[in-house]
């Protein structure tokens, strides 16, 4: 059964991890902004997949999918309305971003689920 409270907790924990690690990475001199954004995106959606699979074991993939979509759409809306970046004019960019977000989150959720089931199989 899908647990909405655990879903919201996974969203919050993912964003909190992103904020903390991005703050720490900000002190490291990275000359490529693309590398910094890529690390940040991997961290955000990877954390979402991890927390989704950990806190919603009955529906890990649904939770990871919905969480990645919520974070990506929120990012688009904040970029458009707060930062005045015209993100909605590039449909291919939106498609790439959504695909990357969902695939990363689902991949991490799948890896965590496989590791958990193997560990439970060994312990039984």
């Amino acid at each position: 059964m899908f647990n909405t409270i655990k879903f919201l907790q996974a969203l919050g924990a993912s964003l909190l991890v992103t904020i903390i690690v991005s703050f720490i990475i900000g002190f490291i001199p990275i000359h490529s902004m693309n590398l910094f954004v890529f690390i940040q995106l991997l961290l955000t959606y990877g954390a979402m997949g991890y927390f989704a699979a950990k806190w919603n074991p009955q529906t890990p993939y649904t939770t990871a999918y919905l969480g990645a979509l919520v974070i990506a759409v929120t990012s688009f809306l904040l970029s458009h309305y707060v930062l005045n970046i015209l993100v909605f004019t590039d449909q291919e960019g939106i498609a790439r971003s959504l695909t990357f977000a969902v695939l990363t989150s689902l991949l991490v959720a799948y890896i965590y689920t496989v590791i958990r089931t193997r560990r439970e199989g060994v312990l039984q």
Side-chain angles (χ1 to χ4, degrees):
M1 182 73 129
F2 184 79
N3 191 345
T4 307
I5 299 298
K6 296 293 184 182
F7 170 70
L8 294 175
Q9 287 177 347
L11 276 174
S14 171
L15 293 176
L16 186 65
V17 165
T18 301
I19 290 169
I20 291 171
V21 175
S22 295
F23 181 75
I24 293 170
I25 290 176
F27 290 115
I28 300 171
I30 299 176
H31 299 292
S32 173
M33 185 59 96
N34 291 336
L35 178 64
F36 179 76
V37 171
F38 182 72
I39 291 170
Q40 191 176 19
L41 289 175
L42 276 179
L43 182 73
T44 302
Y45 298 117
M48 183 63 219
Y50 172 76
F51 290 125
K54 182 175 181 157
W55 291 339
N56 246 341
Q58 285 87 16
T59 58
Y61 306 121
T62 304
T63 308
Y65 176 77
L66 290 176
L69 285 180
V70 166
I71 292 173
V73 169
T74 304
S75 174
F76 293 149
L77 292 174
L78 285 174
S79 297
H80 184 74
Y81 290 110
V82 175
L83 301 175
N84 292 325
I85 299 172
L86 301 175
V87 293
F88 295 119
T89 59
D90 183 21
Q91 292 89 8
E92 291 178 8
I94 290 174
R96 278 192 309 269
S97 296
L98 287 175
T99 303
F100 178 78
V102 168
L103 286 178
T104 304
S105 184
L106 286 175
L107 182 65
V108 171
Y110 174 74
I111 291 170
Y112 180 81
T113 304
V114 167
I115 290 172
R116 187 181 68 225
T117 55
R118 285 190 183 175
R119 199 177 278 169
E120 288 173 358
V122 171
L123 295 175
Q124 290 179 356

